[in-house]
Amino acid sequence: MEQENIETINTGNLLIVDLDGTVRSPRSDNKFIEHPGDQKIIPGAEGAIAYFASVGWKIVAVTNQAGVAAGKKSLTSCVKEQQQTMILLPEIEEVYFCPDFAGKKCFCVTPKEVRDYNKHQLSGSFRKPNPGMLLLVMEIYNPGKIMFVGDRPEDKQAANSASIKFQQADNWRRTYGDF
Ligand SMILES: [Mg+2]
């Protein structure tokens, strides 16, 4: 009998969510969140996340944050913004964000730390609609089932490029939001 390859043991099911327009929005009239406290959870997102957590799915987020490169927010502020989201929604275990237009950088934020994947071979493809952040998360988690939820065409395109099942955010919030 062939020996099992321990490298490929999967870690369960994984829900990946986009953040802006999918899970959260600014509290202010600004189009984008520019300060960590300027955010609220979109109705239905909390219930939908709670549902997936209750059936044992791990949940992580991926978000383009070129507002950093555009000078709208500092890298430090962007990290705090993601940690604030994880305070509001503790089921989200990690947030991966790409702060540059070239998609070369990717930071992973947890409630307590930050690590970067700027030298990873996927560097250059992190910014959606490129699939780099999704492929990175798949590499790290090696999940069984996987689904990505997002609100924009570039989210769907990234999911297609990564061969991941995609669900539109409004449909996802409507389907699971009452949980
Ligand atoms: Mg979005």
Side-chain angles (χ1 to χ4, degrees):
M1 197 169 130
E2 253 178 82
Q3 212 170 3
E4 256 182 73
N5 182 353
I6 56 165
E7 302 288 326
T8 60
I9 287 173
N10 86 57
T11 55
N13 300 331
L14 181 68
L15 179 71
I16 309 173
V17 292
D18 166 60
L19 289 179
D20 297 309
T22 295
V23 163
R24 69 186 182 194
S25 61
R27 298 172 72 93
S28 70
D29 293 334
N30 287 352
K31 193 173 173 200
F32 299 108
I33 297 168
E34 291 179 14
H35 305 285
D38 185 23
Q39 56 178 294
K40 63 183 182 205
I41 302 306
I42 298 172
E46 189 167 6
I49 282 183
Y51 170 75
F52 278 85
S54 77
V55 292
W57 287 50
K58 273 186 173 289
I59 303 163
V60 302
V62 300
T63 174
N64 283 352
Q65 291 292 331
V68 176
K72 300 278 190 190
K73 60 182 95 169
S74 67
L75 191 60
T76 303
S77 173
C78 188
V79 167
K80 284 185 183 154
E81 178 184 318
Q82 315 320 320
Q83 289 174 328
Q84 178 62 25
T85 300
M86 287 186 275
I87 289 171
L88 298 173
L89 294 171
E91 297 96 336
I92 297 178
E93 295 183 24
E94 295 178 330
V95 177
Y96 295 77
F97 75 84
C98 174
D100 64 312
F101 289 103
K104 289 186 174 172
K105 297 178 184 173
C106 177
F107 293 86
C108 173
V109 183
T110 74
K112 287 186 178 165
E113 60 173 14
V114 184
R115 57 182 189 270
D116 80 68
Y117 291 92
N118 301 345
K119 300 224 164 97
H120 193 279
Q121 58 183 0
L122 288 164
S123 174
S125 70
F126 288 134
R127 181 174 166 78
K128 297 175 291 181
N130 291 313
M133 283 196 286
L134 296 177
L135 294 173
L136 177 64
V137 168
M138 285 171 74
E139 182 184 301
I140 291 167
Y141 283 87
N142 191 26
K145 286 187 200 163
I146 183 167
M147 185 169 79
F148 178 44
V149 181
D151 67 314
R152 304 266 308 163
E154 51 264 42
D155 294 316
K156 187 172 185 181
Q157 198 179 325
N160 288 346
S161 296
S163 299
I164 292 179
K165 181 181 157 75
F166 178 76
Q167 187 167 20
Q168 200 66 41
D170 51 0
N171 184 22
W172 172 73
R173 292 191 303 260
R174 212 179 308 121
T175 304
Y176 304 103
D178 289 337
F179 182 78

